Amino acid sequence: MIRLNPYLSFQDTARAAMEHYQQVFGGTLTLSTFGEFGNPDPALADLVMHSQLETDRGFTLMASDTPPEMAPPTAGNNIAVSLSGDDADVLRGYWDKLSDGGTVSVPLEKQMWGDEFGMCVDRFGIGWLVNISQPS
């Protein structure tokens, strides 16, 4: 299965925003912090590295706080499209086509959480995140 959904970027307010969206849409919210993934910076420890809201109506919203080394989110660059799933060949094919002629900010490669992940902006200015889940 492959999922396509919006991915929202915030400056230190991802937790409050996602809790608000959970009140609006209902569903199950999961949050992971930078500290939980081993970031030693106390200023980042409680900020959201990744969150996901799964609603009973089938909506999925993902979000994170933007770390300081990345450009802060502003209206227009604070939303991207996320492609995620476990069909590695199909997702790598999408990645190759989306990143062709665009700008890669995070190469598609294995990350600290075990999945392959990459970020790019395509040639039309749209941000994409691709996450290939690894078998459990």
Side-chain angles (χ1 to χ4, degrees):
M1 181 176 103
I2 296 175
R3 173 186 307 220
L4 182 138
N5 60 272
Y7 202 105
L8 311 173
S9 298
F10 296 95
Q11 190 71 43
D12 307 337
T13 59
R15 181 182 304 273
M18 292 300 283
E19 288 171 351
H20 171 72
Y21 298 141
Q22 183 183 28
Q23 290 177 351
V24 171
F25 299 115
T28 303
L29 177 62
T30 56
L31 296 163
S32 301
T33 65
F34 285 95
E36 290 170 339
F37 279 95
N39 190 311
D41 185 346
L44 294 177
D46 292 328
L47 295 181
V48 175
M49 183 174 164
H50 177 74
S51 63
Q52 185 165 319
L53 176 62
E54 295 282 348
T55 72
D56 298 335
R57 298 210 179 245
F59 304 152
T60 300
L61 280 176
M62 295 179 181
S64 66
D65 286 310
T66 303
E69 66 270 12
M70 295 178 71
T74 58
N77 78 353
N78 59 340
I79 188 166
V81 181
S82 171
L83 282 168
S84 57
D86 58 6
D87 192 327
D89 292 337
V90 171
L91 286 163
R92 282 188 198 104
Y94 291 156
W95 170 262
D96 290 343
K97 293 172 186 171
L98 289 166
S99 61
D100 183 35
T103 303
V104 173
S105 56
V106 176
L108 183 64
E109 59 191 21
K110 188 164 185 162
Q111 301 296 323
M112 70 177 92
W113 59 89
D115 294 350
E116 289 180 64
F117 175 81
M119 292 173 56
C120 70
V121 175
D122 70 17
R123 68 181 101 180
F124 302 103
I126 302 300
W128 292 90
L129 300 90
V130 175
N131 192 86
I132 303 171
S133 301
Q134 299 305 301
S136 298

